[in-house]
Amino acid sequence: MTKSPLNALKPGRQGVLSQQALDDATARYEASQQRAHSVEQSHQLAKIGPRAEEIARAKGALTQAEGQASYAKSQLDATVIRAPISGTILERSVEKGELLTGQFASAARPVFSLANLDDIQADLDIAQDDFAKLGPYQKAVVTVDAFPDLRWTARSQRFLPKQTAKKLRLRPKFKS
């Protein structure tokens, strides 16, 4: 290190400084010299560029972060239940946020019951007296006791016989 220019200002020479003021100024000068040296070294390292170890560490951290992101995405994808068809949910046996296991959802206990309301079929019991009035692809209006104000227009599709102990009945299938 270079000799401090403050040495020329020794106390006692013409009463210029006190010893305390000289010590403080010397400490500040040496600290400034150290900061300048540190900045110069940082500048030299910046010109050289990052070391191979730092680059390898950063690549490893990137690979790890990508793996964690991929795992989180797979976990998120597992939280979504997708139906095999489009339709309207008629009944659900779980609520949002409930944890499902593979054993919970099965054919015996479905998670949701879906229906395609664009293609509704109704099985109707028709009295034998009315058989003669029915024909294939005949238009009809269908109502149900539960919703007497609702009416659906439909067309007969086919007639399936149903045998009971008392009599033979036809069951027409109507499609809306």
Side-chain angles (χ1 to χ4, degrees):
M1 188 181 324
T2 62
K3 192 172 179 181
S4 171
L6 298 176
N7 287 339
L9 301 175
K10 293 271 185 205
R13 287 183 136 181
Q14 301 168 359
V16 174
L17 290 177
S18 69
Q19 183 63 41
Q20 180 65 37
L22 177 64
D23 291 344
D24 290 345
T26 304
R28 283 193 302 272
Y29 173 76
E30 289 174 356
S32 295
Q33 288 291 93
Q34 289 295 328
R35 277 195 302 270
H37 181 69
S38 176
V39 168
E40 178 62 30
Q41 285 183 339
S42 295
H43 175 69
Q44 292 299 327
L45 288 175
K47 284 191 336 187
I48 294 171
R51 295 175 45 188
E53 296 86 9
E54 291 175 7
I55 293 171
R57 183 195 54 77
K59 284 182 180 178
L62 176 63
T63 302
Q64 181 181 9
E66 287 171 342
Q68 289 172 338
S70 177
Y71 176 73
K73 183 176 180 340
S74 70
Q75 292 292 91
L76 179 63
D77 289 345
T79 64
V80 177
I81 298 174
R82 291 182 176 82
I85 61 167
S86 63
T88 302
I89 297 174
L90 300 177
E91 180 182 358
R92 64 179 170 191
S93 54
V94 294
E95 294 299 321
K96 183 177 180 179
E98 284 188 58
L99 179 64
L100 293 179
T101 62
Q103 297 167 342
F104 178 87
S106 66
R109 186 174 175 184
V111 177
F112 294 102
S113 296
L114 297 174
N116 180 356
L117 298 182
D118 295 332
D119 184 24
I120 298 175
Q121 294 186 4
D123 287 339
L124 306 173
D125 288 329
I126 307 294
Q128 286 185 357
D129 297 343
D130 295 328
F131 286 168
K133 299 175 188 173
L134 298 176
Y137 305 108
Q138 180 178 351
K139 289 184 179 181
V141 175
V142 178
T143 61
V144 292
D145 293 339
F147 303 103
D149 296 337
L150 294 178
R151 298 180 183 281
W152 293 274
T153 58
R155 186 175 298 273
S156 63
Q157 294 287 310
R158 62 180 182 234
F159 295 90
L160 303 172
K162 179 181 177 186
Q163 180 72 45
T164 64
K166 297 181 182 175
K167 56 186 171 183
L168 174 68
R169 293 190 297 173
L170 291 180
R171 296 187 70 202
K173 287 259 188 189
F174 285 92
K175 186 173 181 180
S176 63

